[in-house]
Structures are given as C-alpha cells and as structure tokens.
Amino acid sequence: MHCELIVPGLLLPGPRAARHPALELLLARGRRDNPESMTVEQWLHDAFGQPGTALAAGALSLAAAGQDPGDSWWARADPVHLRVMRDRVIVVPGEALEISRAEADELAAALNRHFADSVGF
C-alpha cells in the first residue's frame, strides 16, 4: 500500500525532545525519497492533477463527495465564527455553530445569487 503523509512541522524541535515510538516505527518502515522541496499547495496540485496556481478546494470537495466537477468553476464556503479575544482571534469551526440544513442551503443559494450576478451568468 502506498501512503503519503503531509505533517508540517513534524520534525521541528519542540520545547521538550520527546520520543514517539509509533511514529519512529512508521518512519522506519517507509521508503525515503528526496524530491525537490515544495509547499503543501504545490504537492496537492501535483497529487490531484490540478493545473494553475489557485487551489481548487471547491472542485476537490465535490470530487471527494463522489460527484464530477467537470470543467465548471466551483467555490467552497464554510461558515465559521471569529471569536475576538483581547490579544488574538480564534476561528470556531462551523460544526460548533449547529447550523441547520435549511440555513446552509439558504447560505449557498445567497452565495450563488451573488456570484452569478457579479460574473454575469
């Protein structure tokens, strides 16, 4: 079985140099490859055959759901909540918002109307 893992910062030194036996075993059983260095976005483009410079998150999400995105342009909009703290901003994922299916459908319809009007469809 072939598996590629992307774990940014996995081998960076931390405050405590802790050992991770399961990770050591996984890495020991793998094969070493030294491809040219690339960003996560570049790797995703290569892995999914997506040309261009913008990552097609909408098309990839649709393909992951078992549908064919075809040659159309797809956008992905995930509702989030930005919680402003005194010295930072926290992003709360949409799952924590308990948005109903009807609300999600209305949000998608509003986005579709907006973008259809702005590009002249």
Side-chain angles (χ1 to χ4, degrees):
M1 175 174 82
H2 177 80
C3 178
E4 293 187 31
L5 297 175
I6 300 176
V7 186
L10 176 66
L11 301 176
L12 292 177
R16 296 182 309 169
R19 292 193 62 189
H20 303 284
L23 176 61
E24 291 174 9
L25 179 63
L26 180 66
L27 292 174
R29 291 184 178 175
R31 282 184 238 130
R32 184 177 171 158
D33 189 9
N34 288 323
E36 65 181 66
S37 180
M38 64 176 70
T39 65
V40 172
E41 289 81 9
Q42 291 168 331
W43 183 88
L44 287 169
H45 283 291
D46 291 348
F48 292 100
Q50 294 289 318
T53 57
L55 185 60
L60 291 175
S61 297
L62 192 64
Q67 298 182 26
D68 180 21
D71 292 335
S72 301
W73 289 85
W74 293 90
R76 177 177 169 159
D78 294 319
V80 297
H81 172 72
L82 298 177
R83 184 172 296 157
V84 179
M85 311 296 271
R86 186 183 68 180
D87 57 349
R88 66 185 183 273
V89 175
I90 298 174
V91 178
V92 179
E95 293 82 22
L97 301 177
E98 298 181 7
I99 295 174
S100 70
R101 180 63 188 208
E103 290 171 318
D105 290 342
E106 181 57 35
L107 175 62
L111 289 170
N112 287 336
R113 284 191 303 272
H114 172 75
F115 287 107
D117 290 343
S118 66
V119 294
F121 288 133

